[in-house]
Amino acid sequence: MDSLPPHDGSAERGDRRRRSVAARDLWRALNRARAVDGAAVRLASLALLAFYAAGVLLRPMPDQPLAPWVRGAVCVCIALGIAFGPRFTWRALRLFTVGLALALNLAIGSLILLRGPVRGDLGVQALAMFAPTAFLQTGMDVIGVVVALGSLVAAVLATTPLDAPNTVAIDLYGALLTGAVTALALILFRDRVSTSTAWWQEACARERALREFSEGIAPQLGEAVAARELAGRLRQAFGTGHCAIVTIEPGGAPRVLATAGVWAGVEPSAASLLALVQRMRDRQPFVASRVAESDLPWATLGGTLVALPMVFDDAVAGAIVLSATGPRPAAEEEVLMWRAMASQVCTALDSARLFARLQEALRARSEFVNTMSHELRSPLHVIIGYGEMLAEQRADPAVAAARIRANALELLHLVENTLTVGRLSGGGLAVHPSEFELSALFDELRESVAALPEARAAASVRWQIDGPLPPLHLDRLKVKEVVHNLVSNALKFAGAEPVRVRAAADGDRLRIDVSDSGPGIAPADQARIFGLFERGDGDAVTGGSGLGLYIVKSLAQLMGGDVTVSSSPGRGACFTAWLPFRLDRG
């Protein structure tokens, strides 16, 4: 038989420590100070006065001169609660309840001794034991009153001749203990209600402050700064450990947006973050009260891990990870509050991103207006200048006409591009497929490209079609505009080598490459230049409105294709248009 491992007593010590902590927490709860409800004190005093008055009326007055004074003293004591209850402090309320419990029992006991024991007095005395004891305010007060009244009952039983002393003792001590247990239960209930109320008030205040931050301040701070602030607030609400905000980027890669609290110093793997987000695809939080296994650097074995889903555009696209190094109970109402806060975090990050895009759009719009003003003004000045020279007969009419025509074509191209962008943005640009040969389209493009101001000569562009291609069934005008804009853009940056246009079949798609030998495009700019109003660094020298490449990519995507670029600085650029051979829709 296998031998048992040696018992080192650590489990027992842990149990004793937990019991000791639980006992201390219970004692604190029984003696915790609370706010005084003056209206409740007054109402309870009125009820007690009515009870005592009923007892006085039902019981005859002993033929003793001290009896009225005893009963009057009790009524005065109760009246103090009615008159001053709304002004009581916590200490005054404790003194009042303890004094009332002792005074009522002493008064009834004195009247019994003055009159002598009567059978009906036992029930009244037991009720006097129970009623005021049940309203004591702390565990310490309960212990003090029980000891005092228990001693009083013992003294009375020892000095007063009774028919059945054991029965009397059982009734009186039973009433006293019942009152004490009721008092302790009420104290714990009030403490729980008070704690719960305070927690909900704090939770509502946190949620309101977070909502105000999310809607008013977060958008202006930017996504990164807002995320750090939000992570700190969530960790503060969690109360311990660590908080991390994880988002899934448009490309599907996870990113730790912000952290707060203890940081393990080890970046989590993308697979672990994706697995965590996928685990909450049903939009329900994941709670592990004792982590058994995890490859997240924030999760401690035996600790607590809470993951809350982040929903963007009606899909789970991130998670808020809260963790503690040890066991931390996660009550249902707490998880509900954290979920509400997670929703506010999503709103804040959405607002920050939208605000950033709005600022970028405004910046791009302002830059576009400035650029367009310059782009329109330059050819207009040329046209006006050559017009004046013709009027004064200071220029060769053929040269002047050629310059005027070239600049007018440039103006027309700018206006057409602006109108195209407007139709693309408004969704009013339809596709009209028709069948045509790419070779015939290239012949037309040779002539139109040769007339461009940036074209030095027709020979500056080399056109090539590899192998026989089937007839295309696409929107002919849009294909022509795509190639025309790519060639025009390449001519602006062409170096000593000519611009090359090459078309070939690539599987079930048509591939059109437009390459130049210019300065090339930096990797950081290669995705950005397809945006609306975006221009590369070289556009500041060569000119450009930031519309051409946006139109090219939008038109290609409208026909079920795409446009990509490959380039490296100093080695030119190659733009590739990918288009289907057929588009059977109108």
Side-chain angles (χ1 to χ4, degrees):
M1 183 173 60
D2 295 337
S3 60
L4 295 174
H7 180 62
D8 58 1
S10 59
E12 290 184 3
R13 286 196 297 272
D15 290 340
R16 285 198 300 270
R17 190 181 303 110
R18 283 191 290 272
R19 286 195 294 268
S20 175
V21 171
R24 285 198 299 271
D25 291 342
L26 177 62
W27 181 248
R28 291 193 190 99
L30 288 172
N31 293 281
R32 187 178 291 125
R34 292 181 300 276
V36 178
D37 187 348
V41 174
R42 176 173 284 176
L43 184 63
S45 299
L46 283 170
L48 186 60
L49 183 62
F51 155 76
Y52 187 72
V56 169
L57 293 176
L58 292 175
R59 298 172 69 248
M61 177 77 71
D63 188 17
Q64 294 291 336
L66 292 178
W69 292 100
V70 172
R71 288 182 168 175
V74 173
C75 291
V76 169
C77 186
I78 298 174
L80 289 175
I82 299 173
F84 300 104
R87 303 183 196 175
F88 277 171
T89 62
W90 173 244
R91 180 175 294 181
L93 179 61
R94 287 183 59 194
L95 290 173
F96 174 72
T97 54
V98 170
L100 196 60
L102 296 175
L104 190 60
N105 281 279
L106 287 172
I108 293 178
S110 300
L111 292 178
I112 291 174
L113 291 175
L114 289 173
R115 188 176 54 184
V118 179
R119 182 178 296 275
D121 288 339
L122 181 60
V124 175
Q125 184 65 55
L127 190 60
M129 288 276 186
F130 169 80
T133 305
F135 290 98
L136 294 172
Q137 299 299 307
T138 68
M140 194 175 297
D141 297 343
V142 172
I143 293 174
V145 168
V146 167
V147 170
L149 292 182
S151 302
L152 177 63
V153 171
V156 171
L157 291 175
T159 57
T160 304
L162 297 171
D163 296 336
N166 292 335
T167 302
V168 173
I170 291 172
D171 287 345
L172 293 182
Y173 281 126
L176 181 61
L177 291 177
T178 303
V181 171
T182 303
L184 294 175
L186 287 174
I187 291 169
L188 290 175
F189 174 75
R190 287 195 299 268
D191 181 74
R192 183 171 179 81
V193 170
S194 175
T195 302
S196 179
T197 302
W199 184 89
W200 277 109
Q201 288 175 340
E202 182 182 359
C204 291
R206 286 183 186 275
E207 197 276 336
R208 183 170 58 252
L210 185 61
R211 185 174 65 253
E212 292 172 355
F213 173 80
S214 302
E215 296 175 354
I217 302 174
Q220 303 175 38
L221 296 178
E223 183 184 47
V225 177
R228 286 197 297 271
E229 174 67 21
L230 292 166
R233 294 186 180 219
L234 282 162
R235 179 186 174 270
Q236 188 178 14
F238 191 61
T240 182
H242 180 269
C243 173
I245 298 178
V246 179
T247 58
I248 305 299
E249 298 302 296
R255 178 165 70 105
V256 179
L257 195 59
T259 61
V262 180
W263 174 247
V266 180
E267 289 287 344
S269 66
S272 63
L273 293 179
L274 286 173
L276 182 66
V277 175
Q278 284 296 317
R279 191 166 190 165
M280 296 180 292
R281 57 182 177 272
D282 58 352
R283 302 190 184 184
Q284 295 302 314
F286 167 69
V287 180
S289 56
R290 287 182 180 272
V291 176
E293 182 180 355
S294 177
D295 56 356
L296 291 173
W298 317 304
T300 304
L301 295 184
T304 303
L305 183 71
V306 178
L308 307 167
M310 296 177 66
V311 180
F312 297 101
D313 297 329
D314 205 33
V316 177
I320 294 173
V321 186
L322 302 167
S323 64
T325 55
R328 186 214 184 280
E332 203 171 307
E333 60 271 16
E334 286 188 303
V335 176
L336 183 65
M337 180 191 73
W338 297 331
R339 292 190 68 179
M341 295 182 74
S343 177
Q344 292 296 334
V345 169
C346 294
T347 301
L349 295 180
D350 256 347
S351 299
R353 291 169 180 172
L354 182 62
F355 190 77
R357 286 197 295 268
L358 178 61
Q359 285 186 314
E360 185 64 21
L362 291 174
R363 181 200 63 76
R365 177 182 175 275
S366 176
E367 186 176 340
F368 170 70
V369 170
N370 293 334
T371 302
M372 284 296 290
S373 299
H374 173 76
E375 294 294 320
L376 292 171
R377 187 167 55 243
S378 297
L380 282 174
H381 283 167
V382 173
I383 292 172
I384 292 171
Y386 275 101
E388 292 175 349
M389 291 171 67
L390 281 174
E392 298 173 0
Q393 299 181 352
R394 292 188 295 109
D396 183 352
V399 174
R403 293 289 185 270
I404 290 173
R405 180 179 182 277
N407 283 274
L409 287 173
E410 185 177 346
L411 282 175
L412 179 62
H413 185 62
L414 283 172
V415 172
E416 286 178 345
N417 277 350
T418 305
L419 293 175
T420 301
V421 168
R423 289 196 296 272
L424 283 169
S425 301
L429 201 60
V431 178
H432 303 287
S434 63
E435 193 165 291
F436 62 95
E437 296 287 344
L438 185 63
S439 57
L441 184 67
F442 273 15
D443 290 339
E444 293 181 18
L445 284 167
R446 281 192 186 93
E447 296 181 8
S448 60
V449 166
L452 291 175
E454 54 266 28
R456 296 188 298 273
S460 61
V461 181
R462 298 288 185 265
W463 303 83
Q464 177 183 347
I465 297 179
D466 292 345
L469 296 176
L472 303 180
H473 190 75
L474 298 170
D475 191 318
R476 190 175 189 278
L477 291 177
K478 290 179 176 56
V479 175
K480 183 177 180 179
E481 190 166 359
V482 167
V483 180
H484 188 279
N485 272 315
L486 288 178
V487 174
S488 173
N489 186 72
L491 285 170
K492 293 178 183 178
F493 302 99
E497 299 294 325
V499 172
R500 298 185 180 277
V501 182
R502 176 176 176 266
D506 191 327
D508 58 350
R509 295 187 299 174
L510 172 66
R511 172 175 178 165
I512 302 176
D513 294 323
V514 179
S515 56
D516 63 68
S517 57
I521 305 170
D525 291 336
Q526 291 181 19
R528 182 177 61 83
I529 57 175
F530 289 104
L532 185 59
F533 306 142
E534 292 289 352
R535 300 187 300 162
D537 292 337
D539 287 341
V541 179
T542 63
S545 58
L547 300 179
L549 291 177
Y550 169 78
I551 293 173
V552 163
K553 195 172 186 71
S554 299
L555 292 179
Q557 291 175 342
L558 197 62
M559 293 184 289
D562 200 3
V563 175
T564 59
V565 61
S566 60
S567 177
S568 57
R571 297 189 177 182
C574 179
F575 286 85
T576 302
W578 304 87
L579 297 171
F581 284 105
R582 297 188 60 83
L583 184 63
D584 296 320
R585 64 182 176 88

